[in-house]
Every structure is written in structure tokens, then in C-alpha cells.
């Protein structure tokens, strides 16, 4: 059993994305589950795809001055309930870490030669920070 993720819960991204260092900002979950707990909807499978944190600065090696967007790429299998459902969908629970993605929107530039970063995506991790600490599901 683990803590249920609900509407408005915080999504924390870790700053290391491969060889890129990102100035991370938290995201928020937007729930679409049919079930409510204390007036808040629960998050279900697929809601993680709605999380997007824009305008995050990054540095990768000698590349500076770039911006990008943070998203959840994939939940860990332990972050979806096996038994409990909301409608027909599994409920998202805190679990361990999810796979995150940083998509470059404005490429960083190497100031020594003026060349842009060739990477378009960097992979990292993140974790949910639920407000609810008592209500759990499996």
C-alpha cells in the first residue's frame, strides 16, 4: 500500500538530467479520476502525461543559456495500483521515482565557439510529493 496522488499534488524533478543540469521547478498533478477523497479527485493512469513545467534553464557541459520543458516520461510500475481502481483506471500512488524528460526548446550555446547544443532531449527522474499522507491504496 502507498499514498494516493490527488489533484494539485506536487511533482518534483531532480536537477540532474544526464550531463545536463536543470534549474527545476515543481509541477502539479491535474486529476481526472472519477473517485474523490475529501472533495479532491484522485489521479489515474494517464494524468501524469499532463504535467508540463516550461521555461526551465539548463547547462550541459560548456553549453549555457538554454531553456526547456520538464515532463513525466514514464511512471515506475509500482506507481500504479494493481487492485484499486477509479472507474476502469489504475490510481497513481507515490511509489519510488518516475522517469522524467527535459526537452530543449532554446538550445544552449558554447560561448567559446558559438555552437549550439545538439541534444534535443535529456533524461532524468522525479518524485511525487503528496499532500495526503494517510489515504493509501494498492
Amino acid at each position: 500500500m502507498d499514498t494516493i496522488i490527488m489533484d494539485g499534488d506536487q511533482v518534483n524533478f531532480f536537477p540532474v538530467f544526464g550531463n545536463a543540469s536543470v534549474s527545476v521547478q515543481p509541477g502539479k498533478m491535474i486529476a481526472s479520476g472519477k473517485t474523490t477523497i475529501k472533495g479532491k479527485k484522485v489521479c489515474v493512469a494517464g494524468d501524469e502525461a499532463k504535467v508540463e513545467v516550461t521555461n526551465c534553464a539548463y547547462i550541459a557541459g560548456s553549453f549555457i543559456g538554454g531553456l526547456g520543458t520538464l515532463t513525466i516520461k514514464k511512471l515506475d510500475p509500482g506507481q500504479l495500483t494493481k487492485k484499486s481502481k477509479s472507474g476502469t483506471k489504475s490510481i497513481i500512488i507515490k511509489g519510488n521515482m518516475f522517469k522524467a524528460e527535459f526537452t530543449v526548446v532554446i538550445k544552449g550555446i558554447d560561448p567559446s565557439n558559438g555552437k549550439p547544443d545538439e541534444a534535443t532531449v535529456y533524461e532524468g527522474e522525479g518524485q511525487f510529493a503528496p499532500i495526503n499522507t494517510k489515504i493509501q491504496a494498492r
Side-chain angles (χ1 to χ4, degrees):
M1 295 208 19
D2 205 346
T3 307
I4 293 173
I5 302 302
M6 296 191 288
D7 191 60
D9 278 352
Q10 190 165 298
V11 177
N12 293 325
F13 295 93
F14 301 134
V16 177
F17 280 75
N19 73 331
S21 190
V22 179
S23 294
V24 296
Q25 301 165 43
K28 292 265 185 227
M29 289 297 290
I30 300 169
S32 68
K34 296 182 185 301
T35 308
T36 60
I37 299 170
K38 296 185 178 180
K40 286 187 156 199
K41 287 183 177 185
V42 299
C43 292
V44 294
D47 287 346
E48 73 280 0
K50 298 178 213 163
V51 175
E52 189 174 276
V53 182
T54 59
N55 296 318
C56 296
Y58 82 101
I59 295 171
S62 59
F63 299 106
I64 60 172
L67 292 175
T69 301
L70 295 165
T71 55
I72 296 174
K73 182 177 181 180
K74 185 177 184 216
L75 294 177
D76 182 79
Q79 290 179 300
L80 291 171
T81 56
K82 306 271 186 278
K83 294 183 179 188
S84 303
K85 305 278 185 206
S86 178
T88 59
K89 294 184 175 184
S90 294
I91 298 169
I92 298 174
I93 53 179
K94 183 179 180 203
N96 290 317
M97 292 176 273
F98 54 77
K99 299 289 181 203
E101 195 168 80
F102 177 75
T103 304
V104 176
V105 176
I106 297 174
K107 293 179 174 284
I109 303 292
D110 184 336
S112 69
N113 60 21
K115 291 187 179 179
D117 184 2
E118 292 187 17
T120 56
V121 173
Y122 290 96
E123 294 188 4
E125 294 179 316
Q127 193 171 40
F128 295 114
I131 296 167
N132 153 55
T133 57
K134 296 181 181 165
I135 303 165
Q136 299 186 336
R138 63 173 93 205

